[in-house]
Amino acid sequence: MARRRSDAQPLLRYATVHEHAPIYRAIMELFTEAAAGYASRLRVEDVHAALVARLAEYDESDLPSVAEVAQRLKQLFDWGNLTQDNDTSRATNLDRYGAVAYVYDLTTGGEAAQDALVALEDGLRRVGGLQAVALRQMEELVGRLAELVGSDQPDGDEVYVC
């Protein structure tokens, strides 16, 4: 029986990898959206252009370069989130055919990892939303109670109901 290594499934590393996690998350969201549209094979330049469009509200110094996007895609490939295939579609001659260029696609594991993170975020958002509603209701009740107690002749029954 093969012994399982504790780091054998690194599919979720991109979500927790220090300061680059937001870029990795944005890249994985791009691939998930592309896969939903049946156009998931993306080149480095395609991913870079989509990231620049998506992250346009940030300072330009925060935007990754094409080379940095290529590094992030390679890392996602190494973790098993993406496949990496030679991009021969732009080869117009034999010299270009040998040039190293890749297209990337979402793996089944990468899609599952992205789905798990989306489900986690949705669950946390629901819990936070419920807590926010409960806090608003408590604030309203305390405010009403303060009004009742602060009045000249507080109604004991109404104070008790609050």
Side-chain angles (χ1 to χ4, degrees), residues 74-87:
K74 172 72 170 87
Q75 185 62 65
L76 286 164
F77 165 71
D78 290 343
W79 286 330
N81 299 95
L82 301 176
T83 62
Q84 180 186 53
D85 297 312
N86 286 323
D87 183 10

Side-chain angles (χ1 to χ4, degrees), residues 86-102:
N86 286 323
D87 183 10
T88 57
S89 65
R90 294 188 277 182
T92 55
N93 59 39
L94 193 55
D95 291 334
R96 273 300 273 160
Y97 189 81
V100 177
Y102 298 107

Side-chain angles (χ1 to χ4, degrees), residues 116-138:
L117 288 171
V118 168
L120 175 66
E121 285 178 342
D122 287 345
L124 292 173
R125 200 173 301 116
R126 274 195 307 272
V127 169
L130 291 174
Q131 289 174 348
V133 168
L135 286 172
R136 271 195 304 276
Q137 289 174 341
M138 285 188 275

Side-chain angles (χ1 to χ4, degrees), residues 22-54:
I23 297 296
Y24 284 116
R25 292 292 310 273
I27 290 171
M28 289 300 292
E29 287 169 6
L30 288 172
F31 275 96
T32 302
E33 292 165 8
Y38 303 106
S40 60
R41 292 177 59 84
L42 301 175
R43 295 182 178 107
V44 174
E45 297 82 10
D46 300 332
V47 174
H48 180 261
L51 280 175
V52 168
R54 182 170 285 199

Side-chain angles (χ1 to χ4, degrees), residues 103-123:
V103 289
Y104 293 88
D105 198 355
L106 194 60
T107 64
T108 305
E111 186 174 5
Q114 181 66 14
D115 289 346
L117 288 171
V118 168
L120 175 66
E121 285 178 342
D122 287 345

